[in-house]
Amino acid sequence: EEIINIYKRVAKNIKDIRKSKKISQEEIALAMGFTTATFYTNAESLKRDKHFNLEHIIKISKILDCDISVLFKDIDNPIKE
């Protein structure tokens, strides 16, 4: 359950940042070295039990030009200090 929630959070953050920068799923998939956007699309929406692994997340953070830690942040439920 906890791991699935992390997959969901990372996928949502990637999608939100990607959209804010007006980058298509296909553009990221090609920049990551995929020949089509199929895997990327499925991983971003967690379909067919696909998800991003650490190597994917590192590549995506570079493509989106954002710190990798941002992709793991729980923006909807920030930690209160």
Side-chain angles (χ1 to χ4, degrees), residues 31-57:
M32 290 175 70
F34 294 110
T35 55
T36 69
T38 305
F39 171 81
Y40 181 90
T41 302
N42 287 333
E44 192 179 84
S45 59
L46 299 175
K47 289 184 180 169
R48 296 188 172 99
D49 288 328
K50 302 295 183 198
H51 55 81
F52 298 118
N53 66 27
L54 186 55
E55 183 179 345
H56 299 145
I57 294 168

Side-chain angles (χ1 to χ4, degrees), residues 1-13 42-52 57 71-72 74:
E1 171 102 9
E2 182 180 5
I3 291 173
I4 291 169
N5 287 334
I6 293 170
Y7 287 149
K8 287 178 182 177
R9 181 184 323 142
V10 170
K12 180 187 182 309
N13 290 341
N42 287 333
E44 192 179 84
S45 59
L46 299 175
K47 289 184 180 169
R48 296 188 172 99
D49 288 328
K50 302 295 183 198
H51 55 81
F52 298 118
I57 294 168
L71 302 179
F72 291 91
D74 190 350

